[in-house]
Amino acid sequence: MNRTKIALFIFSMALMACNSTKPTVAEAGWEDMFNGKSLDGWTTKIHHYETGDNFGDTFRAEDGMIKVRYDKYEGDFNDRFGHLYFDKPYSSFHLSMEYRFVGDLHPGAPIFTEMNSGVMYHSQDPRTMLKEQNWPISVEMQFLGGIKEGEARPTGNMCSPGTEIEYEGKIYLSHCLRSSSKTYYGDQWVKAELIVRGDSLVTQIINGQVVLEYTKPQVGGGTVVGYDPKQKEDGKLLKEGMIALQSEGQPIDFRNVKIKNLEP
């Protein structure tokens, strides 16, 4: 082999290395939370039902996605708010997923849940929830979709069932805090990322743009009913907890659900 052929061989090998499908340094450490085929490793809790009862096949693993559907429900929604919990708590992490709203709001679901879902973090374990508890004590990265053209409805907001956060140096007393994101209409996929540093800084990202930051998630406030009083220690900083996908009456799909553990 002459020098020219050797040089071409080395160049081709370098090019193949650059085009390799192996994870890059930036992608290292990511773990898939969903295997694409089943809900193994996840636990359901739906209002009015015991933990583990996936009433009406609400949460489904289909087509490589986690789907939320209500076609097996009889009658109206009846406040059957549900959550699908990953069976491992996290403290400091970077969570990433894509979601899209599909179909119509199930009959009887509250109007505020139209084009509305989210992901809960630092949540109490579903095994500590009572049958008639409506939402988990947790902090939510809320997902909203546009309803009326021209009417702003940002996504990536913060909501606080049984919790509070600090915003701009003081306790934020309202239940939800709007983000700076734009409004997304229809059934387009939206990428949502959540970076949580224990009980300190929380960063929420939509389609690559930081849309909201706040600090010190903690137990407090209202909205949650039907809980065990032992589970609600107001003022307690939330350093870790469960992660859960939400069901509130609006069909939605989730895909590419993955996490990077940021613990040292």
Side-chain angles (χ1 to χ4, degrees):
M1 185 179 290
N2 60 33
R3 291 183 179 179
T4 301
K5 289 183 177 180
I6 291 173
L8 287 172
F9 175 76
I10 293 173
F11 176 77
S12 65
M13 293 299 291
L15 187 62
M16 288 174 63
C18 288
N19 291 331
S20 171
T21 58
K22 293 182 179 180
T24 64
V25 173
E27 295 170 333
W30 285 101
E31 298 177 33
D32 290 324
M33 300 174 73
F34 171 54
N35 63 21
K37 299 177 181 178
S38 72
L39 297 181
D40 290 348
W42 297 79
T43 298
T44 57
K45 175 62 181 81
I46 298 174
H47 188 208
H48 307 315
Y49 301 89
E50 300 290 353
T51 299
D53 185 348
N54 187 17
F55 171 80
D57 198 20
T58 301
F59 296 97
R60 308 170 187 180
E62 293 179 347
D63 305 320
M65 297 176 281
I66 295 176
K67 296 183 177 182
V68 177
R69 297 291 188 272
Y70 309 98
D71 53 286
K72 297 182 181 180
Y73 280 34
E74 295 182 3
D76 65 17
F77 186 66
N78 190 29
D79 288 346
R80 287 182 275 214
F81 306 115
H83 297 83
L84 179 68
Y85 297 79
F86 190 63
D87 289 332
K88 178 182 176 181
Y90 284 88
S91 176
S92 294
F93 60 89
H94 185 169
L95 177 69
S96 177
M97 69 183 70
E98 295 172 276
Y99 71 86
R100 68 175 178 185
F101 292 111
V102 295
D104 299 318
L105 187 67
H106 188 74
I111 190 62
F112 68 82
T113 64
E114 182 177 7
M115 300 290 277
N116 184 342
S117 188
V119 58
M120 327 302 279
Y121 74 91
H122 282 3
S123 171
Q124 67 180 112
D125 191 303
R127 297 159 190 85
T128 68
M129 294 176 64
L130 301 182
K131 183 178 178 180
E132 293 301 326
Q133 184 172 338
N134 55 355
W135 283 287
I137 297 169
S138 57
V139 186
E140 176 189 358
M141 182 179 182
Q142 183 193 52
F143 304 148
L144 295 180
I147 296 176
K148 295 181 180 179
E149 196 67 39
E151 185 175 294
R153 203 164 185 252
T155 189
N157 310 301
M158 184 287 306
C159 292
S160 52
T163 55
E164 294 173 325
I165 54 99
E166 282 195 11
Y167 182 65
E168 297 181 340
K170 56 186 178 182
I171 294 291
Y172 187 78
L173 298 177
S174 296
H175 174 53
C176 291
L177 174 61
R178 271 194 167 197
S179 81
S180 61
S181 90
K182 71 176 192 177
T183 301
Y184 295 89
Y185 294 90
D187 60 358
Q188 63 181 298
W189 285 103
V190 178
K191 184 176 181 180
E193 297 174 78
L194 176 66
I195 302 175
V196 178
R197 300 282 186 177
D199 61 0
S200 57
L201 180 66
V202 179
T203 303
Q204 299 185 176
I205 302 168
I206 295 294
N207 284 344
Q209 300 293 317
V210 173
V211 296
L212 185 61
E213 285 191 314
Y214 52 89
T215 60
K216 296 184 179 178
Q218 57 194 272
V219 180
T223 304
V224 173
V225 298
Y227 57 85
D228 179 350
K230 295 193 297 267
Q231 298 298 321
K232 194 169 185 292
E233 301 177 44
D234 287 0
K236 178 182 178 181
L237 289 174
L238 289 169
K239 297 184 178 182
E240 69 171 15
M242 313 299 281
I243 294 169
L245 304 177
Q246 193 175 67
S247 158
E248 288 193 314
Q250 170 68 53
I252 187 172
D253 296 333
F254 299 97
R255 71 180 184 186
N256 296 327
V257 185
K258 56 186 180 178
I259 196 166
K260 180 186 288 188
N261 193 341
L262 301 180
E263 283 290 326

